[in-house]
Amino acid sequence: MSFTSVEYLFFLLIAVALCRSMTRRLQPLWILLLSCVFYALWDVRALIPLCGATFFAYFTALSIETSAGERVRRILAYGSVISLVAVLLLLKEAPKSSRPFDWLAPLGISYYTFKLISYVLDVFWGKQRAERDPIAFASYAVFFPQIVAGPIQRSADYLLQVRAPQPFSRSLLVRGTRRIAIGLFKKMVIADHIGVALNAVYGQVHGFSGAPLLITFYLFPIQLYADFSGLTDIAIGSALLLGIESPENFNHPFSATNISEYWRRWHMSLTNWTVDYVLTPLRMATRNWNQIGLVFSICVNMMTIALWHGITWSFFAFGVIHSGFVSVDALSTKPRRAFFKVHPSWRPAAGWAGSVLTFHLVALGMVFWRAKTVPDALWILTRMRVPLSALSSNIAQFALSTAWRSLAVGLAAYALLELAEKYWGRAPIIQNLQSSPRWLRWSAYGVSSLVLLVGFLLMFIHGSMREPFLYEVF
Amino acid sequence: MKYFSDLLRTGLCMMGALLLLEFCMRVSGERFQASFYISEAERGYALRPGAEGWNVGEHENYVRINSRGLRDREHDLKRPPNTLRIAVIGDSETEAVQVPLDQTYFYVVERELNHTLPSGSQKVEVISFGVGGYGLGPQYLTVKEQIWKYDPQIVIVADPIDALIMRSSRRLYFGDSFGAPFFVIHNGNLEFDSETVARRAAPASPNARLVWTADLMNQSRLLSLVNSARVRAENNFNQVTAGFHAKAEATSALPVDYWRTFPYYGPSNADLKDAWAISEALILALRDEVSRHHAEFWLFMLDMPGQVDPDPQQAANLRKRLGVDTLFRSEQLLSDFAGHAGIRHMALAPELARYASEQKVVLHGFKGMPRNIGHLNEKGHLVVGRLIAKALREGSPQLSRKSLDPR
């Protein structure tokens, strides 16, 4: 059941109605049951590894807490982390070579495995107590809004909320619904429209050169952002309707002025996870190695992020590239600060140039992320040059030969989204809606309902033709 | 008073929003299936005169129905002098809303014939009477009631074998027949079945307001969206409720995919024997009707996608799955029947299969759809048109005449 299907909206409606009509004590049970149904609708067999990993983490954490010896605790903690990672690798990679076991690469396995690992390590490090309630804990692992593609929420944060979810209110309803609507807009209007042209290129990379590859280079980051942040928005909005506040995943990533800042703004829940459970422990362990220890920690951290997506040479290359970018950024931080201290007037220009440079570095990395193979990525990067005199005609030719209207709609919608995000909160009508004249309030509600209705009907009609989310496969 | 003033202002804002949404949908290229049909007493439904809009199902194409309810250009009722008219009767392959009008096979036939006939001889004009979903029953009524006012000298019935056989039987008709008439053989005579008789006793008359609404809907993207959603919701609802149960009951003794497999088998079971008998009777009735008007009758058996897959392995797989030696058995049987009945005929499927295999071209289906599934594409129409034109050129007495019959 896709997040962009009408079926999902009905499922969510039923889930919210059921959960909200239950007592607080029963809420985790309902979330668990509904999440299992949601997951089973994808493939009931995939519940086996999910349940297995969940119970394994639950009992391991209890054992860690009740064990007296540090050595036993350590063995249990690291043993369980290694086991969970091994199962993740096995289930993600083995089905590639054995088609009858496709179902063994279950939906969202990378997400729930990371959630469970963080829980076990938090209990081991004494950051939180082991959860006694198996139902509440299982509902954390299988929580349906987050299982498809995150965000990766920490157990302490979730378990606290699931026992005392935010009471259902009009503002919660508006926030949740608006978030879902924005997510659907990002996915169906921006990502899918831009994707029409880009998929044509990525489907047959070696058939293109020049402008099409250049357009792909610049537009894929926007498509991926709209696609993934749209998916996250729907997840966050759905969780909100159930009374659970999820962590944010994006914070205007393309406005980052350097690559480290970009990673603090992009897929934040994964980055924060790797910082807490990979980078920081490694940095602590290698603090005596000085700069080499820093670079080593950064490289392992970035490779973890890259290979979390899948063990392929293109993701490996993606990891290597970003390891290099982030290492250079980290090593040059001090000299840059010193420079700007002496030349403060350069700072605004550097900020602007930094954003442009960062976007290009990100786009470069994403070529490896999206291309099927490293040779495909290299083909794009080496053949996207176009003579400046022929640039506009080449772009026009490509746009006309593919779906120029789709491309234009996607880009216009993206511009609209950026403007709305910038000015929405500042618009007087939004700030003062409650004190506005009655006709203005009615009109605002009426027009919003109309837009939502048209959006719903479009989903209903186009549901079967939609493109899958790019991050659904992880 | 203030209340009404607020209501009025809100209404104006909503109107503005609606116009803006309509504008946005037009600019973004959102298109929805237009409505081209109208209910009709005689044939259950027919193409709605003057209807126009987008066909978006398999392939986006802007379709105009002419003022007399044909998916064709405008034709005068009176046959122009020195002109030979050919009426083409058929189903959705002839309606051909998936392809532009000038690429349909009946346009190709007209073009080919006019191009290859000796200069100074008669001009050929082809008129299409194709309507999607029609079986031989409604096609017979079309010939009886609709075509003679155009005074055609040649009448062609062109259908794939599944339409020729399966759609003659109410039991084997796949999907909703929308009130189309069905025949049965009673005491050796062709008669309407009881449901058709009951329906014709209380016919649904075309409602002018509905026609106006449908035309308006085709012109507005917002209204088309609402209409498309309504149709889809109705279909979904019917599938899970009464319609589904009724259909399941009616077809309870039929295999799940009978409509895909039965056309290949010939009259191999009681249901198919019944359908074949009705089809043969209708073909004879068509022949007699046409000869009563001193016109020439042709039966062209079009192809089904599975018969013309360019990949020989796919065809072999299909034969294996069906447990048959040939995919053209039904065509052979119907050709034998037509030959004995003195009907000029041609089975196009074997020719098309050979062409597709040699040229490695897919004749059915469109971009973005599964391979070789669906209606004839532009290439398919071109080849079918050329084959029909060739057959007519070589076998039609009307076309071989140097001057026109002044009939």
Side-chain angles (χ1 to χ4, degrees):
Chain A
M1 194 188 323
S2 165
F3 276 2
T4 54
S5 66
V6 170
E7 291 83 358
Y8 176 72
L9 292 188
F10 281 118
F11 177 84
L12 183 63
L13 196 70
I14 293 166
V16 172
L18 276 174
C19 284
R20 292 308 190 158
S21 58
M22 296 295 150
T23 60
R24 281 185 175 186
R25 253 190 71 224
L26 285 176
Q27 181 133 340
L29 177 66
W30 275 109
I31 288 182
L32 176 63
L33 288 175
L34 288 163
S35 298
C36 287
V37 169
F38 176 84
Y39 204 68
L41 285 174
W42 178 71
D43 194 326
V44 72
R45 293 168 299 182
L47 276 170
I48 299 167
L50 173 60
C51 293
T54 305
F55 284 112
F56 176 71
Y58 174 76
F59 287 113
T60 307
L62 283 176
S63 308
I64 289 170
E65 197 169 75
T66 51
S67 298
E70 180 59 22
R71 194 156 168 267
V72 176
R73 284 164 38 81
R74 192 179 294 272
I75 290 170
L76 279 170
Y78 293 136
S80 64
V81 169
I82 291 168
S83 308
L84 286 168
V85 171
V87 171
L88 170 67
L89 293 178
L90 189 74
L91 294 188
K92 272 194 89 162
E93 298 308 310
K96 286 179 187 168
S97 54
S98 53
R99 285 206 60 80
F101 298 103
D102 278 357
W103 61 274
L104 268 174
L107 185 71
I109 186 170
S110 306
Y111 292 95
Y112 72 68
T113 304
F114 269 37
K115 279 166 101 175
L116 295 174
I117 289 174
S118 69
Y119 166 71
V120 170
L121 287 176
D122 282 352
V123 171
F124 172 60
W125 288 334
K127 283 187 180 174
Q128 73 169 99
R129 298 211 58 195
E131 177 59 44
R132 261 57 186 176
D133 180 354
I135 290 171
F137 179 73
S139 79
Y140 161 67
V142 74
F143 186 44
F144 75 86
Q146 295 173 357
I147 201 153
V148 178
I152 303 170
Q153 190 164 22
R154 304 300 167 82
S155 53
D157 185 24
Y158 173 86
L159 291 167
L160 200 67
Q161 294 188 66
V162 81
R163 288 199 193 88
Q166 294 180 47
F168 197 66
S169 63
R170 200 173 74 167
S171 78
L172 195 78
L173 178 70
V174 170
R175 274 176 66 207
T177 312
R178 191 168 63 200
R179 202 67 197 260
I180 293 171
I182 290 171
L184 290 172
F185 177 81
K186 282 180 180 174
K187 167 64 181 158
M188 298 177 82
V189 184
I190 303 175
D192 284 357
H193 279 84
I194 294 178
V196 171
L198 267 53
N199 291 347
V201 177
Y202 272 112
Q204 199 190 352
V205 167
H206 295 268
F208 292 93
S209 65
L213 300 181
L214 193 68
I215 291 173
T216 305
F217 176 83
Y218 281 109
L219 293 191
F220 180 65
I222 295 173
Q223 186 204 355
L224 183 60
Y225 168 67
D227 192 283
F228 190 19
S229 69
L231 179 57
T232 303
D233 285 335
I234 299 170
I236 291 176
S238 304
L240 207 53
L241 292 176
L242 294 164
I244 308 286
E245 197 97 36
S246 306
E248 289 296 335
N249 241 359
F250 296 92
N251 179 21
H252 302 281
F254 300 136
S255 65
T257 55
N258 59 61
I259 198 79
S260 301
E261 189 190 345
Y262 163 79
W263 277 110
R264 288 193 293 275
R265 291 167 174 270
W266 177 274
H267 205 171
M268 289 149 64
S269 66
L270 176 66
T271 314
N272 292 340
W273 191 99
T274 58
V275 166
D276 288 352
Y277 301 102
V278 180
L279 183 71
T280 308
L282 265 179
R283 187 71 193 110
M284 293 300 283
T286 61
R287 60 184 176 276
N288 294 331
W289 302 2
N290 297 326
Q291 301 290 54
I292 294 173
L294 174 67
V295 171
F296 175 74
S297 308
I298 287 172
C299 289
V300 174
N301 188 55
M302 295 318 295
M303 291 310 292
T304 307
I305 291 177
L307 297 179
W308 170 88
H309 293 91
I311 302 178
T312 64
W313 284 111
S314 16
F315 284 127
F316 183 82
F318 174 79
V320 170
I321 287 169
H322 274 280
S323 299
F325 291 163
V326 179
S327 298
V328 169
D329 184 63
L331 293 175
S332 64
T333 304
K334 272 186 186 171
R336 276 186 287 142
R337 271 193 199 140
F339 176 82
F340 289 125
K341 209 168 182 181
V342 180
H343 308 285
S345 56
W346 282 71
R347 200 179 283 275
W352 183 84
S355 293
V356 175
L357 177 66
T358 305
F359 181 82
H360 280 80
L361 296 179
V362 168
L364 174 71
M366 281 187 185
V367 172
F368 288 89
W369 193 98
R370 179 64 174 83
K372 285 188 190 119
T373 62
V374 173
D376 278 4
L378 293 175
W379 176 279
I380 292 172
L381 293 172
T382 52
R383 284 178 172 74
M384 64 182 190
R385 273 180 304 153
V386 190
L388 210 56
S389 56
L391 184 64
S392 56
S393 61
N394 274 13
I395 289 176
Q397 197 180 358
F398 170 69
L400 287 173
S401 67
T402 57
W404 67 271
R405 198 194 283 264
S406 260
L407 210 55
V409 169
L411 288 175
Y414 179 65
L416 190 71
L417 177 79
E418 287 290 326
L419 287 173
E421 283 187 347
K422 192 164 183 181
Y423 295 110
W424 182 260
R426 295 188 216 165
I429 187 173
I430 304 300
Q431 284 181 332
N432 309 312
L433 188 62
Q434 290 309 320
S435 54
S436 303
R438 187 169 56 182
W439 71 269
L440 206 56
R441 284 200 317 274
W442 284 357
S443 300
Y445 296 140
V447 170
S448 306
S449 310
L450 198 65
V451 170
L452 284 177
L453 179 69
V454 169
F456 175 80
L457 292 178
L458 283 170
M459 262 178 80
F460 184 50
I461 295 295
H462 293 320
S464 56
M465 293 186 280
R466 68 161 205 100
E467 289 286 319
F469 283 103
L470 293 166
Y471 257 83
E472 243 174 40
V473 292
F474 304 122
Chain B
M1 192 61 197
K2 178 83 170 67
Y3 184 82
F4 286 108
S5 154
D6 282 353
L7 261 185
L8 188 68
R9 285 175 173 192
T10 307
L12 285 173
C13 278
M14 297 286 282
M15 282 298 293
L18 282 170
L19 288 173
L20 192 64
L21 279 169
E22 175 74 28
F23 173 76
C24 288
M25 287 171 80
R26 279 177 183 274
V27 169
S28 67
E30 285 288 349
R31 288 162 186 163
F32 308 97
Q33 181 63 46
S35 138
F36 300 123
Y37 301 97
I38 188 169
S39 61
E40 191 205 60
E42 194 69 17
R43 294 170 293 171
Y45 66 96
L47 288 168
R48 197 171 74 248
E52 59 179 297
W54 286 94
N55 174 69
V56 296
E58 285 172 69
H59 188 54
E60 281 198 359
N61 185 38
Y62 196 80
V63 176
R64 279 193 181 86
I65 308 302
N66 77 11
S67 59
R68 298 187 196 279
L70 307 178
R71 199 268 153 143
D72 203 343
R73 63 177 193 267
E74 295 291 342
H75 292 276
D76 286 338
L77 285 182
K78 186 172 164 42
R79 177 159 56 86
N82 201 33
T83 298
L84 183 136
R85 266 189 171 168
I86 302 175
V88 183
I89 324 296
D91 71 340
S92 53
E93 293 290 16
T94 306
E95 185 187 57
V97 289
Q98 300 80 16
V99 294
L101 193 57
D102 60 355
Q103 293 183 27
T104 55
Y105 79 81
F106 52 88
Y107 253 65
V108 176
V109 170
E110 183 180 284
R111 217 166 31 231
E112 287 278 314
L113 289 177
N114 280 322
H115 184 67
T116 50
L117 285 173
S119 60
S121 69
Q122 57 209 3
K123 185 173 170 275
V124 174
E125 185 183 355
V126 179
I127 307 175
S128 168
F129 291 83
V131 179
Y134 272 13
L136 279 175
Q139 288 176 18
Y140 170 61
L141 295 176
T142 301
V143 171
K144 247 181 111 171
E145 310 291 339
Q146 303 290 324
I147 70 166
W148 300 118
K149 56 192 169 201
Y150 290 90
D151 192 19
Q153 294 110 311
I154 298 177
V155 176
I156 290 174
V157 168
D159 284 307
I161 203 79
D162 52 346
L164 282 169
I165 305 299
M166 311 278 280
R167 290 205 196 122
S168 297
S169 153
R170 188 182 287 281
R171 181 167 157 76
L172 295 185
Y173 191 100
F174 182 72
D176 194 338
S177 58
F178 296 103
F182 286 90
F183 289 82
V184 288
I185 296 173
H186 188 244
N187 295 332
N189 296 320
L190 205 53
E191 292 177 2
F192 287 125
D193 72 350
S194 56
E195 202 171 313
T196 306
V197 171
R199 199 181 284 270
R200 288 166 72 90
S205 58
N207 182 325
R209 208 179 61 211
L210 282 179
V211 171
W212 184 82
T213 312
D215 286 342
L216 180 71
M217 217 167 250
N218 285 357
Q219 295 312 312
S220 159
R221 301 289 161 92
L222 267 178
L223 293 176
S224 307
L225 168 67
V226 173
N227 187 47
S228 298
R230 181 190 64 80
V231 171
R232 177 168 289 195
E234 255 176 34
N235 289 345
N236 291 355
F237 183 74
N238 286 343
Q239 267 179 13
V240 293
T241 56
F244 177 76
H245 295 307
K247 191 73 189 170
E249 200 179 321
T251 59
S252 56
L254 297 172
V256 179
D257 61 346
Y258 76 94
W259 53 281
R260 286 179 202 266
T261 56
F262 273 19
Y264 294 97
Y265 291 137
S268 57
N269 60 41
D271 289 318
L272 277 168
K273 277 179 188 155
D274 186 44
W276 273 80
I278 299 168
S279 292
E280 287 174 355
L282 280 165
I283 290 168
L284 293 179
L286 277 160
R287 177 200 63 185
D288 296 343
E289 172 67 20
V290 173
S291 63
R292 224 183 345 265
H293 287 81
H294 310 291
E296 188 179 307
F297 180 57
W298 280 81
L299 176 66
F300 285 100
M301 290 160 253
L302 304 182
D303 63 309
M304 297 180 288
Q307 295 174 314
V308 294
D309 198 302
D311 180 1
Q313 190 56 46
Q314 294 289 340
N317 291 346
L318 180 60
R319 281 198 303 273
K320 193 176 168 192
R321 191 161 59 80
L322 294 167
V324 295
D325 297 330
T326 172
L327 297 175
F328 310 115
R329 177 158 188 259
S330 297
E331 279 83 356
Q332 285 163 4
L333 290 172
L334 206 56
S335 294
D336 291 346
F337 165 79
H340 285 126
I343 295 169
R344 292 181 184 85
H345 64 277
M346 182 185 179
L348 272 66
E351 288 288 326
L352 291 170
R354 196 162 30 249
Y355 179 87
S357 172
E358 283 170 9
Q359 303 293 321
K360 297 279 174 238
V361 289
V362 178
L363 301 175
H364 286 260
F366 298 86
K367 196 178 165 188
M369 302 289 287
R371 181 185 160 281
N372 196 41
I373 287 196
H375 289 91
L376 287 167
N377 54 32
E378 292 90 340
K379 188 75 189 169
H381 274 276
L382 181 68
V383 184
V384 165
R386 283 182 175 163
L387 285 173
I388 292 178
K390 185 167 176 273
L392 289 173
R393 211 164 39 232
E394 290 171 357
S396 165
Q398 289 279 3
L399 275 167
S400 62
R401 289 180 193 172
K402 291 287 178 198
S403 61
L404 280 176
D405 184 348
R407 172 178 63 80

